[in-house]
Amino acid sequence: ASPMPYVVYHAAQAQPRELATELRLLVEQGLSQEAYLKVREGWSKYDTTPTMAAAWIYLSRAGFNGLWRVNGRGEPNVPYGKYTSIAFPSEDAVLRVHHALKGGRVALGDFEAAVNLAEEGDLLLTDPPYFGTYSDYNGPGSYDEGDLYRLGKCLTRARGRGVAILALDSWTDETLQVYRRNTGLTPLRIQRQQVVGATAERRGEREEGLFIWPEDLAVAVERRLKTWQADRTLRREIES
């Protein structure tokens, strides 16, 4: 998995004003192809946490379809996105993230170590690379079926410690086997709008799974999802 989300959260937690300043300087360069390629091709010069985090935010927002991808040398290689207007995080937004992370721990490492930190009374959210999705990007060391089953065992142990669980993943026979049959979580099938993808076929609504424990939490989440779905349907009818 990419370490960049960790870099961004670490920068927001430890150096928020520096991150906001570096991002503002990049945004002020504009959204032209020349500006985008200048940042992309100068990736190696962003050698501090705030500068690297700011460059990642800029490139992932301004690149084609919001994709983030690197080559074998670790250099970003997503084409220019041709956007004329993009909403970038303001300094106030960065500071809000900073305050939300106060007292928290931002860590980079194997998911098992993180899951094992959860204790009774905690709410654990897991959002791994969706199993069976974007298989073209799988390579040595990538998240695979063995990791999926290992995550299931971690969640089983967390459940035994009294940890509430929300697990997001694809909706497949394998994920149902792991989350429902092996781990005992309640499965909810959901439709989510996919906005990132190299082709139109990879965007649009797609079926995913939300796996929950305990049961009363699953009931509450399902009720809220139904309300949200009804509201969304009503908005679409009004707009049409």
Side-chain angles (χ1 to χ4, degrees):
S2 171
M4 289 312 304
Y6 162 79
V7 173
V8 173
Y9 280 117
H10 182 64
Q13 184 183 50
Q15 298 173 281
R17 294 194 183 277
E18 292 87 342
L19 169 59
T21 298
E22 294 294 341
L23 180 58
R24 176 177 54 79
L25 293 174
L26 291 179
V27 172
E28 287 176 352
Q29 296 180 22
L31 295 172
S32 67
Q33 184 173 15
E34 180 182 4
Y36 175 80
L37 293 178
K38 181 180 178 181
V39 177
R40 193 187 75 176
E41 293 169 5
W43 177 251
S44 61
K45 75 178 182 181
Y46 301 109
D47 55 0
T48 68
T49 298
T51 57
M52 185 180 293
W56 183 81
I57 293 171
Y58 178 89
L59 291 174
S60 62
R61 291 289 181 96
F64 180 69
N65 279 335
L67 296 174
W68 174 255
R69 184 184 64 201
V70 297
N71 59 24
R73 297 184 298 276
E75 302 164 338
N77 60 2
V78 175
Y80 173 56
K82 301 180 181 179
Y83 301 111
T84 57
S85 177
I86 297 176
F88 287 96
S90 64
E91 181 173 355
D92 285 344
V94 174
L95 291 175
R96 287 198 298 272
V97 173
H98 167 72
H99 290 300
L101 291 173
K102 272 189 174 180
R105 176 184 174 189
V106 179
L108 175 65
D110 186 81
F111 64 80
E112 187 166 353
V115 172
N116 288 344
L117 293 174
E119 301 174 344
E120 183 177 3
D122 289 341
L123 173 62
L124 176 66
L125 170 67
T126 63
D127 188 13
Y130 284 11
F131 183 77
T133 306
Y134 301 118
S135 57
D136 292 346
Y137 291 90
N138 288 346
S142 63
Y143 187 86
D144 58 19
E145 186 173 4
D147 291 312
L148 172 64
Y149 278 84
R150 185 161 64 94
L151 175 59
K153 291 179 181 178
C154 291
L155 296 181
T156 299
R157 293 194 296 270
R159 176 183 169 180
R161 297 194 300 272
V163 176
I165 298 169
L166 290 173
L168 291 160
D169 214 317
S170 54
W171 186 271
T172 66
D173 290 341
E174 289 84 358
T175 56
L176 287 170
Q177 175 67 44
V178 169
Y179 293 111
R180 181 173 64 182
R181 301 184 186 93
N182 295 3
T183 309
L185 307 185
T186 299
L188 295 179
R189 182 156 40 183
I190 60 176
Q191 297 289 330
R192 186 171 71 86
Q193 185 70 27
Q194 181 76 11
V195 297
V196 174
T199 64
E201 290 75 16
R202 289 194 172 185
R203 298 190 294 274
E205 285 199 348
R206 61 188 307 148
E207 194 173 66
E208 297 179 355
L210 181 56
F211 305 90
I212 308 172
W213 189 87
E215 179 65 27
D216 57 348
L217 177 59
V219 170
V221 170
E222 184 175 24
R223 185 183 302 118
R224 184 66 187 90
L225 285 173
K226 287 181 178 178
T227 301
W228 173 80
Q229 182 65 47
D231 290 343
R232 188 175 68 159
T233 300
L234 179 60
R235 286 198 301 271
R236 286 179 173 176
E237 292 176 350
I238 294 174
E239 291 170 357
S240 62

Short mmCIF file of all heavy atoms in Angstrom, two decimals, residues 190-236:
data_model
loop_
_atom_site.label_atom_id
_atom_site.label_comp_id
_atom_site.label_asym_id
_atom_site.label_seq_id
_atom_site.Cartn_x
_atom_site.Cartn_y
_atom_site.Cartn_z
N ILE A 190 -24.25 -2.64 0.05
CA ILE A 190 -24.49 -1.22 -0.20
C ILE A 190 -24.08 -0.86 -1.62
O ILE A 190 -23.28 -1.56 -2.25
CB ILE A 190 -23.72 -0.33 0.80
CG1 ILE A 190 -22.21 -0.58 0.70
CG2 ILE A 190 -24.21 -0.59 2.23
CD1 ILE A 190 -21.38 0.33 1.59
N GLN A 191 -24.64 0.22 -2.11
CA GLN A 191 -24.27 0.78 -3.40
C GLN A 191 -23.54 2.09 -3.14
O GLN A 191 -24.04 2.96 -2.43
CB GLN A 191 -25.51 1.04 -4.26
CG GLN A 191 -26.30 -0.19 -4.63
CD GLN A 191 -25.58 -1.05 -5.65
OE1 GLN A 191 -24.82 -0.57 -6.47
NE2 GLN A 191 -25.82 -2.36 -5.59
N ARG A 192 -22.34 2.20 -3.70
CA ARG A 192 -21.56 3.42 -3.48
C ARG A 192 -21.15 4.02 -4.81
O ARG A 192 -20.81 3.29 -5.75
CB ARG A 192 -20.31 3.10 -2.65
CG ARG A 192 -19.53 4.35 -2.25
CD ARG A 192 -18.44 4.00 -1.26
NE ARG A 192 -17.37 3.24 -1.87
CZ ARG A 192 -16.33 3.79 -2.51
NH1 ARG A 192 -16.25 5.10 -2.63
NH2 ARG A 192 -15.38 3.03 -3.02
N GLN A 193 -21.18 5.34 -4.87
CA GLN A 193 -20.77 6.03 -6.08
C GLN A 193 -19.26 6.01 -6.18
O GLN A 193 -18.55 6.52 -5.32
CB GLN A 193 -21.28 7.48 -6.06
CG GLN A 193 -21.00 8.26 -7.34
CD GLN A 193 -21.84 7.77 -8.51
OE1 GLN A 193 -22.92 7.23 -8.31
NE2 GLN A 193 -21.34 7.96 -9.71
N GLN A 194 -18.76 5.40 -7.23
CA GLN A 194 -17.32 5.33 -7.47
C GLN A 194 -16.93 6.48 -8.39
O GLN A 194 -17.37 6.55 -9.53
CB GLN A 194 -16.95 3.99 -8.12
CG GLN A 194 -15.48 3.79 -8.39
CD GLN A 194 -14.70 3.46 -7.13
OE1 GLN A 194 -15.30 3.20 -6.08
NE2 GLN A 194 -13.40 3.48 -7.21
N VAL A 195 -16.10 7.39 -7.89
CA VAL A 195 -15.73 8.57 -8.68
C VAL A 195 -14.32 8.48 -9.24
O VAL A 195 -13.93 9.30 -10.07
CB VAL A 195 -15.87 9.85 -7.84
CG1 VAL A 195 -17.31 10.06 -7.42
CG2 VAL A 195 -14.97 9.79 -6.61
N VAL A 196 -13.54 7.50 -8.78
CA VAL A 196 -12.17 7.34 -9.27
C VAL A 196 -12.09 6.11 -10.15
O VAL A 196 -12.56 5.04 -9.77
CB VAL A 196 -11.17 7.22 -8.10
CG1 VAL A 196 -9.78 6.92 -8.62
CG2 VAL A 196 -11.18 8.49 -7.27
N GLY A 197 -11.51 6.25 -11.31
CA GLY A 197 -11.35 5.11 -12.21
C GLY A 197 -10.85 5.57 -13.56
O GLY A 197 -11.17 6.66 -14.02
N ALA A 198 -10.03 4.74 -14.19
CA ALA A 198 -9.42 5.13 -15.45
C ALA A 198 -10.42 5.13 -16.60
O ALA A 198 -10.23 5.80 -17.60
CB ALA A 198 -8.25 4.21 -15.78
N THR A 199 -11.51 4.37 -16.48
CA THR A 199 -12.51 4.29 -17.54
C THR A 199 -13.89 4.51 -16.97
O THR A 199 -14.11 4.37 -15.75
CB THR A 199 -12.46 2.92 -18.25
OG1 THR A 199 -12.81 1.91 -17.30
CG2 THR A 199 -11.07 2.64 -18.81
N ALA A 200 -14.85 4.80 -17.85
CA ALA A 200 -16.22 5.02 -17.40
C ALA A 200 -16.78 3.77 -16.73
O ALA A 200 -17.60 3.84 -15.81
CB ALA A 200 -17.10 5.43 -18.58
N GLU A 201 -16.35 2.59 -17.21
CA GLU A 201 -16.85 1.33 -16.65
C GLU A 201 -16.43 1.18 -15.20
O GLU A 201 -17.09 0.48 -14.43
CB GLU A 201 -16.33 0.14 -17.47
CG GLU A 201 -16.93 0.02 -18.87
CD GLU A 201 -16.36 1.05 -19.84
OE1 GLU A 201 -15.30 1.64 -19.53
OE2 GLU A 201 -16.98 1.27 -20.90
N ARG A 202 -15.32 1.79 -14.81
CA ARG A 202 -14.84 1.67 -13.43
C ARG A 202 -15.41 2.74 -12.52
O ARG A 202 -15.12 2.76 -11.33
CB ARG A 202 -13.31 1.73 -13.40
CG ARG A 202 -12.66 0.48 -13.97
CD ARG A 202 -11.19 0.41 -13.62
NE ARG A 202 -10.62 -0.87 -14.00
CZ ARG A 202 -9.37 -1.23 -13.73
NH1 ARG A 202 -8.58 -0.41 -13.08
NH2 ARG A 202 -8.91 -2.41 -14.11
N ARG A 203 -16.20 3.65 -13.10
CA ARG A 203 -16.84 4.68 -12.29
C ARG A 203 -18.34 4.38 -12.21
O ARG A 203 -18.82 3.42 -12.75
CB ARG A 203 -16.56 6.07 -12.89
CG ARG A 203 -15.07 6.41 -12.91
CD ARG A 203 -14.83 7.87 -13.29
NE ARG A 203 -15.23 8.17 -14.64
CZ ARG A 203 -14.44 8.01 -15.69
NH1 ARG A 203 -13.22 7.53 -15.54
NH2 ARG A 203 -14.87 8.33 -16.91
N GLY A 204 -19.06 5.25 -11.54
CA GLY A 204 -20.48 5.01 -11.35
C GLY A 204 -20.73 4.21 -10.09
O GLY A 204 -19.84 4.01 -9.26
N GLU A 205 -21.95 3.73 -9.92
CA GLU A 205 -22.31 2.98 -8.71
C GLU A 205 -21.73 1.58 -8.76
O GLU A 205 -21.74 0.93 -9.80
CB GLU A 205 -23.82 2.93 -8.54
CG GLU A 205 -24.43 4.23 -8.07
CD GLU A 205 -25.81 4.03 -7.48
OE1 GLU A 205 -26.38 2.93 -7.65
OE2 GLU A 205 -26.32 4.97 -6.85
N ARG A 206 -21.26 1.12 -7.62
CA ARG A 206 -20.76 -0.24 -7.55
C ARG A 206 -21.18 -0.86 -6.22
O ARG A 206 -21.40 -0.18 -5.23
CB ARG A 206 -19.24 -0.29 -7.73
CG ARG A 206 -18.44 0.46 -6.70
CD ARG A 206 -16.97 0.49 -7.10
NE ARG A 206 -16.47 -0.85 -7.36
CZ ARG A 206 -15.51 -1.10 -8.26
NH1 ARG A 206 -15.00 -0.13 -8.97
NH2 ARG A 206 -15.07 -2.32 -8.44
N GLU A 207 -21.29 -2.17 -6.23
CA GLU A 207 -21.76 -2.91 -5.06
C GLU A 207 -20.59 -3.20 -4.13
O GLU A 207 -19.55 -3.67 -4.57
CB GLU A 207 -22.39 -4.22 -5.54
CG GLU A 207 -23.20 -4.93 -4.49
CD GLU A 207 -23.93 -6.13 -5.09
OE1 GLU A 207 -23.27 -7.08 -5.51
OE2 GLU A 207 -25.17 -6.08 -5.14
N GLU A 208 -20.80 -2.90 -2.86
CA GLU A 208 -19.76 -3.15 -1.87
C GLU A 208 -20.39 -3.73 -0.62
O GLU A 208 -21.61 -3.81 -0.49
CB GLU A 208 -19.02 -1.85 -1.54
CG GLU A 208 -18.28 -1.27 -2.73
CD GLU A 208 -17.57 0.02 -2.41
OE1 GLU A 208 -17.73 0.53 -1.28
OE2 GLU A 208 -16.85 0.54 -3.29
N GLY A 209 -19.53 -4.12 0.31
CA GLY A 209 -20.01 -4.72 1.55
C GLY A 209 -19.61 -3.90 2.77
O GLY A 209 -18.50 -3.35 2.82
N LEU A 210 -20.50 -3.82 3.73
CA LEU A 210 -20.23 -3.22 5.02
C LEU A 210 -20.54 -4.30 6.06
O LEU A 210 -21.68 -4.76 6.17
CB LEU A 210 -21.10 -1.99 5.24
CG LEU A 210 -20.94 -1.22 6.54
CD1 LEU A 210 -19.50 -0.78 6.75
CD2 LEU A 210 -21.86 0.00 6.56
N PHE A 211 -19.52 -4.72 6.78
CA PHE A 211 -19.64 -5.86 7.70
C PHE A 211 -19.48 -5.33 9.13
O PHE A 211 -18.49 -4.66 9.45
CB PHE A 211 -18.58 -6.91 7.37
CG PHE A 211 -18.64 -7.36 5.93
CD1 PHE A 211 -17.90 -6.70 4.95
CD2 PHE A 211 -19.45 -8.41 5.55
CE1 PHE A 211 -17.95 -7.10 3.62
CE2 PHE A 211 -19.51 -8.82 4.22
CZ PHE A 211 -18.76 -8.16 3.26
N ILE A 212 -20.46 -5.66 10.00
CA ILE A 212 -20.60 -4.94 11.27
C ILE A 212 -20.78 -5.90 12.45
O ILE A 212 -21.40 -6.95 12.34
CB ILE A 212 -21.82 -3.99 11.20
CG1 ILE A 212 -21.73 -3.09 9.96
CG2 ILE A 212 -21.94 -3.15 12.46
CD1 ILE A 212 -22.97 -2.26 9.72
N TRP A 213 -20.25 -5.48 13.58
CA TRP A 213 -20.51 -6.14 14.87
C TRP A 213 -20.44 -5.08 15.95
O TRP A 213 -19.60 -4.19 15.87
CB TRP A 213 -19.47 -7.24 15.15
CG TRP A 213 -19.84 -8.07 16.34
CD1 TRP A 213 -20.63 -9.19 16.36
CD2 TRP A 213 -19.46 -7.83 17.69
NE1 TRP A 213 -20.78 -9.65 17.63
CE2 TRP A 213 -20.06 -8.84 18.49
CE3 TRP A 213 -18.68 -6.87 18.33
CZ2 TRP A 213 -19.90 -8.90 19.85
CZ3 TRP A 213 -18.52 -6.92 19.70
CH2 TRP A 213 -19.13 -7.94 20.44
N PRO A 214 -21.34 -5.07 16.93
CA PRO A 214 -22.37 -6.07 17.25
C PRO A 214 -23.65 -5.87 16.44
O PRO A 214 -23.76 -4.93 15.66
CB PRO A 214 -22.62 -5.83 18.74
CG PRO A 214 -22.35 -4.37 18.93
CD PRO A 214 -21.21 -4.04 18.00
N GLU A 215 -24.63 -6.71 16.68
CA GLU A 215 -25.85 -6.73 15.90
C GLU A 215 -26.63 -5.42 16.04
O GLU A 215 -27.18 -4.92 15.05
CB GLU A 215 -26.74 -7.91 16.35
CG GLU A 215 -28.07 -8.02 15.61
CD GLU A 215 -27.90 -8.33 14.14
OE1 GLU A 215 -26.88 -8.95 13.78
OE2 GLU A 215 -28.80 -7.95 13.35
N ASP A 216 -26.69 -4.85 17.25
CA ASP A 216 -27.46 -3.62 17.41
C ASP A 216 -26.84 -2.46 16.64
O ASP A 216 -27.54 -1.58 16.14
CB ASP A 216 -27.63 -3.27 18.89
CG ASP A 216 -26.32 -3.12 19.63
OD1 ASP A 216 -25.27 -3.49 19.07
OD2 ASP A 216 -26.33 -2.63 20.77
N LEU A 217 -25.52 -2.47 16.50
CA LEU A 217 -24.87 -1.46 15.67
C LEU A 217 -25.23 -1.66 14.21
O LEU A 217 -25.48 -0.69 13.48
CB LEU A 217 -23.35 -1.53 15.86
CG LEU A 217 -22.51 -0.57 15.00
CD1 LEU A 217 -22.90 0.88 15.26
CD2 LEU A 217 -21.02 -0.79 15.25
N ALA A 218 -25.28 -2.92 13.77
CA ALA A 218 -25.66 -3.22 12.39
C ALA A 218 -27.08 -2.74 12.09
O ALA A 218 -27.35 -2.18 11.03
CB ALA A 218 -25.55 -4.72 12.13
N VAL A 219 -27.99 -2.93 13.05
CA VAL A 219 -29.38 -2.50 12.87
C VAL A 219 -29.43 -0.97 12.75
O VAL A 219 -30.13 -0.43 11.88
CB VAL A 219 -30.25 -2.98 14.05
CG1 VAL A 219 -31.63 -2.33 14.00
CG2 VAL A 219 -30.37 -4.50 14.04
N ALA A 220 -28.68 -0.27 13.60
CA ALA A 220 -28.68 1.19 13.57
C ALA A 220 -28.10 1.71 12.26
O ALA A 220 -28.62 2.66 11.66
CB ALA A 220 -27.89 1.73 14.76
N VAL A 221 -27.02 1.10 11.80
CA VAL A 221 -26.39 1.53 10.55
C VAL A 221 -27.32 1.27 9.37
O VAL A 221 -27.47 2.12 8.48
CB VAL A 221 -25.04 0.81 10.35
CG1 VAL A 221 -24.50 1.05 8.94
CG2 VAL A 221 -24.03 1.27 11.39
N GLU A 222 -27.97 0.10 9.36
CA GLU A 222 -28.88 -0.22 8.26
C GLU A 222 -30.04 0.77 8.22
O GLU A 222 -30.45 1.21 7.14
CB GLU A 222 -29.40 -1.64 8.41
CG GLU A 222 -30.28 -2.08 7.25
CD GLU A 222 -30.70 -3.54 7.35
OE1 GLU A 222 -30.70 -4.09 8.47
OE2 GLU A 222 -31.01 -4.13 6.29
N ARG A 223 -30.56 1.13 9.38
CA ARG A 223 -31.66 2.10 9.43
C ARG A 223 -31.21 3.45 8.87
O ARG A 223 -31.92 4.10 8.11
CB ARG A 223 -32.14 2.24 10.87
CG ARG A 223 -33.36 3.14 11.03
CD ARG A 223 -33.76 3.31 12.47
NE ARG A 223 -34.04 2.03 13.10
CZ ARG A 223 -33.35 1.53 14.13
NH1 ARG A 223 -32.35 2.21 14.65
NH2 ARG A 223 -33.66 0.36 14.64
N ARG A 224 -30.00 3.85 9.25
CA ARG A 224 -29.49 5.14 8.76
C ARG A 224 -29.23 5.10 7.26
O ARG A 224 -29.49 6.07 6.54
CB ARG A 224 -28.19 5.48 9.51
CG ARG A 224 -27.63 6.86 9.13
CD ARG A 224 -28.55 7.95 9.59
NE ARG A 224 -28.15 9.26 9.11
CZ ARG A 224 -28.55 9.80 7.97
NH1 ARG A 224 -29.40 9.14 7.19
NH2 ARG A 224 -28.15 10.99 7.61
N LEU A 225 -28.74 4.00 6.76
CA LEU A 225 -28.50 3.86 5.32
C LEU A 225 -29.79 3.94 4.53
O LEU A 225 -29.85 4.55 3.45
CB LEU A 225 -27.78 2.54 5.03
CG LEU A 225 -26.30 2.48 5.39
CD1 LEU A 225 -25.77 1.05 5.21
CD2 LEU A 225 -25.48 3.44 4.54
N LYS A 226 -30.85 3.33 5.04
CA LYS A 226 -32.15 3.38 4.36
C LYS A 226 -32.68 4.80 4.32
O LYS A 226 -33.24 5.24 3.31
CB LYS A 226 -33.14 2.45 5.07
CG LYS A 226 -32.87 0.97 4.83
CD LYS A 226 -33.89 0.10 5.54
CE LYS A 226 -33.65 -1.38 5.26
NZ LYS A 226 -34.62 -2.24 5.98
N THR A 227 -32.50 5.54 5.42
CA THR A 227 -32.93 6.94 5.44
C THR A 227 -32.15 7.75 4.43
O THR A 227 -32.71 8.57 3.69
CB THR A 227 -32.74 7.52 6.85
OG1 THR A 227 -33.50 6.76 7.79
CG2 THR A 227 -33.19 8.98 6.89
N TRP A 228 -30.84 7.53 4.39
CA TRP A 228 -29.99 8.27 3.45
C TRP A 228 -30.37 7.92 2.01
O TRP A 228 -30.42 8.81 1.15
CB TRP A 228 -28.53 7.89 3.71
CG TRP A 228 -27.58 8.46 2.70
CD1 TRP A 228 -27.08 9.73 2.66
CD2 TRP A 228 -27.03 7.76 1.59
NE1 TRP A 228 -26.25 9.87 1.58
CE2 TRP A 228 -26.19 8.68 0.91
CE3 TRP A 228 -27.14 6.46 1.09
CZ2 TRP A 228 -25.48 8.33 -0.24
CZ3 TRP A 228 -26.43 6.11 -0.04
CH2 TRP A 228 -25.62 7.04 -0.70
N GLN A 229 -30.64 6.65 1.74
CA GLN A 229 -31.02 6.24 0.39
C GLN A 229 -32.34 6.88 -0.03
O GLN A 229 -32.49 7.34 -1.17
CB GLN A 229 -31.14 4.72 0.32
CG GLN A 229 -31.49 4.18 -1.06
CD GLN A 229 -30.41 4.45 -2.08
OE1 GLN A 229 -29.24 4.22 -1.81
NE2 GLN A 229 -30.79 4.92 -3.26
N ALA A 230 -33.30 6.94 0.89
CA ALA A 230 -34.58 7.57 0.59
C ALA A 230 -34.40 9.05 0.30
O ALA A 230 -35.02 9.61 -0.62
CB ALA A 230 -35.54 7.37 1.75
N ASP A 231 -33.54 9.73 1.09
CA ASP A 231 -33.27 11.15 0.87
C ASP A 231 -32.62 11.37 -0.50
O ASP A 231 -32.95 12.31 -1.22
CB ASP A 231 -32.36 11.70 1.97
CG ASP A 231 -33.06 11.78 3.31
OD1 ASP A 231 -34.30 11.71 3.33
OD2 ASP A 231 -32.36 11.90 4.34
N ARG A 232 -31.69 10.50 -0.86
CA ARG A 232 -30.99 10.64 -2.14
C ARG A 232 -31.95 10.42 -3.31
O ARG A 232 -31.92 11.14 -4.31
CB ARG A 232 -29.83 9.66 -2.24
CG ARG A 232 -28.95 9.89 -3.45
CD ARG A 232 -27.74 9.01 -3.47
NE ARG A 232 -28.08 7.61 -3.67
CZ ARG A 232 -27.20 6.70 -4.12
NH1 ARG A 232 -25.96 7.05 -4.38
NH2 ARG A 232 -27.57 5.45 -4.28
N THR A 233 -32.85 9.43 -3.17
CA THR A 233 -33.84 9.17 -4.22
C THR A 233 -34.77 10.36 -4.39
O THR A 233 -35.10 10.76 -5.52
CB THR A 233 -34.66 7.91 -3.87
OG1 THR A 233 -33.77 6.79 -3.75
CG2 THR A 233 -35.69 7.63 -4.95
N LEU A 234 -35.17 10.95 -3.27
CA LEU A 234 -36.06 12.11 -3.33
C LEU A 234 -35.36 13.28 -4.01
O LEU A 234 -35.97 13.98 -4.84
CB LEU A 234 -36.49 12.51 -1.91
CG LEU A 234 -37.40 13.73 -1.80
CD1 LEU A 234 -38.69 13.51 -2.57
CD2 LEU A 234 -37.69 14.04 -0.32
N ARG A 235 -34.09 13.51 -3.69
CA ARG A 235 -33.35 14.61 -4.32
C ARG A 235 -33.26 14.40 -5.83
O ARG A 235 -33.39 15.36 -6.61
CB ARG A 235 -31.96 14.72 -3.71
CG ARG A 235 -31.93 15.32 -2.32
CD ARG A 235 -30.56 15.80 -1.95
NE ARG A 235 -29.58 14.71 -2.00
CZ ARG A 235 -29.30 13.90 -0.98
NH1 ARG A 235 -29.93 14.08 0.18
NH2 ARG A 235 -28.39 12.96 -1.09
N ARG A 236 -33.00 13.16 -6.24
CA ARG A 236 -32.93 12.89 -7.67
C ARG A 236 -34.25 13.14 -8.38
O ARG A 236 -34.28 13.67 -9.49
CB ARG A 236 -32.50 11.43 -7.88
CG ARG A 236 -31.02 11.15 -7.61
CD ARG A 236 -30.70 9.69 -7.82
NE ARG A 236 -29.28 9.45 -7.71
CZ ARG A 236 -28.73 8.24 -7.78
NH1 ARG A 236 -29.51 7.18 -7.97
NH2 ARG A 236 -27.42 8.09 -7.69
#
